[in-house]
Amino acid sequence: MAIIILDTETTDKDEGKRLIQLAYKNLETGEFVNEYFKPPVPISFGAMAVHHVTNEMVADKKPFAESEHKAIVADLLKTNILVAHNASFDIQVLKNEGLEIGQSLDTLRLARHLLDSEQYSLQYLRYSLGLAVDASAHDALGDVLVLEALFEYLKKQAQEQFKLSSEEEVIAKLLELNDMPVLLVEVNFGKHKGKTFEQVVKEDRSYLQW
């Protein structure tokens, strides 16, 4: 079972988002794919501001549904393990394109389990962990390169923290961690945003009960 490091860029952030760029690397074969597609809906200005892909830039591209990549990716994701950062986002857009997803690993969730960090965004971890990657941010190709480096770092952390001896044991542990709830340390909303839950319990227990 291969590891497929994958990232997407999309028309928007909402549930109906569609694919405009797909990049992935098969860690078993070394195959690297980076393709653009013409979406069935316009790219929002908010999305353009993040990834800088305009409607004009993909106007002459094939829709993903008509490309040879759809069948290839569909087969890959049924039988292998997809790895993405904030994987639910990428999984949703792939489902919107008619693909079924098998097993997956979310490096965002894994990082929260294995690392002590102030933030857990892909680019924050890239710099805070000193991942030496020559890549552009907010581009599917660049994000795959960073993601691959982060995944290798997390594998090493899991191996050391849980004293694992084989690659199979490490992947099994990551799959186990991926399914475990992530315990929140800080409140991320409301009047107590930024405080730890421990602080709020001492200062304003009724707020948590509410």
Side-chain angles (χ1 to χ4, degrees):
M1 185 174 287
I3 298 294
I4 310 299
I5 306 286
L6 180 145
D7 189 67
T8 63
E9 298 299 340
T10 65
T11 55
D12 211 327
K13 291 183 178 181
D14 62 21
E15 289 188 5
K17 55 187 172 286
R18 302 302 293 268
L19 186 66
I20 60 169
Q21 185 187 8
L22 173 70
Y24 66 86
K25 182 176 182 180
N26 185 328
L27 295 191
E28 184 176 69
T29 65
E31 178 191 20
F32 213 136
V33 171
N34 179 40
E35 293 290 339
Y36 288 86
F37 305 98
K38 180 180 179 179
V41 297
I43 303 170
S44 71
F45 294 125
M48 289 182 201
V50 174
H51 52 55
H52 308 293
V53 179
T54 66
N55 292 298
E56 291 74 18
M57 290 168 63
V58 294
D60 62 346
K61 303 296 182 182
K62 279 187 177 181
F64 180 70
E66 299 175 14
S67 72
E68 65 275 18
H69 293 284
K70 182 173 181 178
I72 295 171
V73 175
D75 186 57
L76 274 177
L77 298 184
K78 281 182 182 178
T79 56
N80 298 297
I81 301 175
L82 177 152
V83 174
H85 200 74
N86 191 19
S88 60
F89 181 93
D90 300 285
I91 289 172
Q92 182 62 59
V93 71
L94 293 172
K95 286 183 176 180
N96 290 348
E97 300 296 341
L99 300 183
E100 295 181 13
I101 312 302
Q103 289 184 297
S104 64
L105 287 170
D106 184 351
T107 51
L108 175 60
R109 291 181 64 85
L110 296 176
R112 290 184 181 277
H113 282 301
L114 295 167
L115 307 177
D116 182 13
S117 179
E118 291 183 0
Q119 298 181 38
Y120 292 91
S121 71
L122 182 61
Q123 298 305 323
Y124 186 93
L125 292 173
R126 170 188 184 179
Y127 295 114
S128 66
L129 299 176
L131 303 178
V133 181
D134 183 13
S136 300
H138 303 301
D139 169 78
L141 173 61
D143 285 349
V144 163
L145 296 174
V146 177
L147 184 54
E148 180 183 6
L150 174 60
F151 182 63
E152 293 300 325
Y153 187 95
L154 293 173
K155 282 170 56 182
K156 184 177 179 181
Q157 289 297 308
Q159 184 175 28
E160 293 176 353
Q161 291 180 30
F162 296 97
K163 298 178 172 56
L164 305 172
S165 57
S166 69
E167 177 83 0
E168 292 75 16
E169 288 178 321
V170 171
I171 297 301
K173 175 55 70 173
L174 293 180
L175 288 168
E176 178 187 330
L177 291 174
N178 194 75
D179 290 337
M180 292 174 57
V182 176
L183 297 178
L184 297 177
V185 176
E186 292 186 351
V187 178
N188 57 12
F189 62 89
K191 66 178 182 179
H192 293 299
K193 183 176 181 179
K195 293 183 180 179
T196 65
F197 281 93
E198 184 178 3
Q199 286 177 296
V200 178
V201 166
K202 293 178 180 178
E203 299 172 7
D204 191 1
R205 179 183 290 270
S206 62
Y207 182 78
L208 294 180
Q209 294 171 335
W210 168 83

